[in-house]
Coordinates of all heavy atoms in Angstrom, one line a residue:
I432 N 19.8 1.6 6.2 CA 18.4 1.5 6.7 C 17.3 1.6 5.7 O 16.2 1.2 5.9 CB 18.2 2.7 7.8 CG1 17.0 2.4 8.7 CG2 18.0 4.0 7.1 CD1 16.9 3.4 9.8
S433 N 17.6 2.1 4.5 CA 16.6 2.5 3.5 C 16.2 1.4 2.6 O 16.9 0.5 2.3 CB 17.1 3.7 2.6 OG 17.5 4.8 3.4
D434 N 14.9 1.5 2.1 CA 14.4 0.6 1.1 C 14.6 1.4 -0.3 O 14.6 0.7 -1.3 CB 13.0 0.3 1.3 CG 12.8 -0.5 2.6 OD1 13.1 -1.7 2.6 OD2 12.3 0.1 3.6
W435 N 14.6 2.7 -0.2 CA 14.7 3.5 -1.4 C 15.4 4.8 -1.0 O 15.3 5.3 0.1 CB 13.3 3.8 -2.0 CG 13.3 4.3 -3.4 CD1 13.1 5.6 -3.8 CD2 13.5 3.5 -4.6 NE1 13.1 5.6 -5.2 CE2 13.4 4.4 -5.7 CE3 13.8 2.2 -4.8 CZ2 13.5 4.0 -7.0 CZ3 13.9 1.7 -6.1 CH2 13.8 2.6 -7.2
A436 N 16.1 5.4 -1.9 CA 16.9 6.6 -1.6 C 16.7 7.6 -2.8 O 16.7 7.2 -4.0 CB 18.3 6.3 -1.4
I437 N 16.7 8.9 -2.4 CA 16.5 10.0 -3.4 C 17.7 11.0 -3.2 O 18.0 11.3 -2.0 CB 15.2 10.7 -3.2 CG1 14.0 9.8 -3.7 CG2 15.1 12.0 -3.9 CD1 12.7 10.3 -3.4
F438 N 18.2 11.4 -4.3 CA 19.2 12.5 -4.2 C 18.6 13.8 -4.9 O 18.2 13.7 -6.0 CB 20.5 12.2 -4.9 CG 21.5 13.3 -5.1 CD1 22.0 14.0 -4.0 CD2 21.9 13.8 -6.3 CE1 22.8 15.1 -4.1 CE2 22.7 14.9 -6.5 CZ 23.2 15.5 -5.4
M439 N 18.5 14.8 -4.1 CA 17.9 16.1 -4.6 C 19.0 17.2 -4.7 O 19.9 17.2 -3.9 CB 16.8 16.6 -3.6 CG 15.5 15.8 -3.6 SD 14.3 16.4 -2.5 CE 14.0 18.1 -3.1
D440 N 18.8 18.0 -5.7 CA 19.7 19.2 -5.8 C 18.9 20.2 -6.6 O 18.3 19.9 -7.6 CB 21.0 18.8 -6.6 CG 22.0 19.9 -6.5 OD1 21.9 20.7 -5.6 OD2 22.9 19.9 -7.4
K441 N 19.0 21.5 -6.1 CA 18.4 22.6 -6.8 C 16.9 22.4 -7.2 O 16.4 22.8 -8.2 CB 19.2 23.0 -8.1 CG 20.6 23.4 -7.8 CD 21.4 23.7 -9.0 CE 22.8 24.1 -8.7 NZ 23.7 24.4 -9.9
G442 N 16.2 21.8 -6.2 CA 14.8 21.7 -6.4 C 14.2 20.6 -7.3 O 13.1 20.5 -7.6
V443 N 15.1 19.7 -7.7 CA 14.7 18.5 -8.5 C 15.3 17.2 -7.9 O 16.3 17.3 -7.2 CB 15.1 18.7 -10.0 CG1 14.5 19.9 -10.6 CG2 16.6 18.7 -10.1
I444 N 14.7 16.1 -8.3 CA 15.3 14.8 -8.0 C 16.3 14.5 -9.1 O 15.9 14.2 -10.2 CB 14.2 13.7 -7.8 CG1 13.3 14.0 -6.6 CG2 14.9 12.4 -7.7 CD1 12.2 13.1 -6.4
V445 N 17.6 14.5 -8.7 CA 18.6 14.2 -9.7 C 18.7 12.7 -10.0 O 18.8 12.3 -11.2 CB 20.0 14.7 -9.2 CG1 21.1 14.3 -10.2 CG2 19.9 16.2 -9.0
E446 N 18.5 11.9 -9.0 CA 18.7 10.5 -9.1 C 18.0 9.8 -8.0 O 17.9 10.3 -6.8 CB 20.1 10.1 -9.2 CG 20.4 8.6 -9.6 CD 21.9 8.4 -9.9 OE1 22.7 9.3 -9.9 OE2 22.2 7.2 -10.2
E447 N 17.4 8.6 -8.2 CA 16.8 7.8 -7.1 C 17.0 6.3 -7.4 O 17.2 5.9 -8.6 CB 15.4 8.2 -6.9 CG 14.5 7.9 -8.1 CD 13.0 8.3 -7.9 OE1 12.5 7.8 -6.9 OE2 12.5 9.1 -8.7
G448 N 16.9 5.5 -6.4 CA 17.0 4.1 -6.6 C 17.2 3.3 -5.3 O 17.1 3.9 -4.2
E449 N 17.5 2.0 -5.5 CA 17.8 1.2 -4.3 C 19.1 1.7 -3.7 O 20.0 2.2 -4.4 CB 17.9 -0.3 -4.7 CG 16.6 -0.8 -5.2 CD 16.7 -2.3 -5.5 OE1 17.8 -2.8 -5.5 OE2 15.6 -2.9 -5.7
P450 N 19.2 1.7 -2.4 CA 20.4 2.3 -1.7 C 21.7 1.8 -2.2 O 22.6 2.6 -2.4 CB 20.1 1.9 -0.2 CG 18.7 1.7 -0.1 CD 18.2 1.2 -1.4
D451 N 21.8 0.5 -2.4 CA 23.1 0.0 -2.9 C 23.5 0.6 -4.2 O 24.7 0.8 -4.5 CB 23.1 -1.5 -3.0 CG 23.2 -2.2 -1.6 OD1 23.6 -1.5 -0.6 OD2 22.9 -3.4 -1.5
M452 N 22.5 0.8 -5.1 CA 22.8 1.5 -6.3 C 23.1 3.0 -6.2 O 24.1 3.4 -6.7 CB 21.6 1.3 -7.3 CG 21.8 1.8 -8.7 SD 21.6 3.7 -8.9 CE 19.9 3.8 -8.6
L453 N 22.3 3.7 -5.5 CA 22.5 5.1 -5.4 C 23.7 5.5 -4.6 O 24.5 6.4 -5.1 CB 21.3 5.8 -4.6 CG 21.3 7.3 -4.7 CD1 20.9 7.8 -6.1 CD2 20.3 7.9 -3.7
F454 N 24.0 4.8 -3.6 CA 25.2 5.1 -2.8 C 26.5 4.4 -3.3 O 27.6 4.9 -3.2 CB 25.0 4.7 -1.3 CG 24.0 5.6 -0.6 CD1 22.7 5.1 -0.4 CD2 24.3 6.8 -0.2 CE1 21.8 5.9 0.2 CE2 23.4 7.6 0.5 CZ 22.1 7.1 0.6

Side-chain angles (χ1 to χ4, degrees):
I432 199 175
S433 306
D434 297 285
W435 196 255
I437 288 172
F438 171 61
M439 288 179 62
D440 190 24
K441 298 179 181 179
V443 300
I444 294 176
V445 176
E446 190 168 357
E447 62 181 305
E449 294 182 351
D451 284 345
M452 183 281 290
L453 189 73
F454 292 100

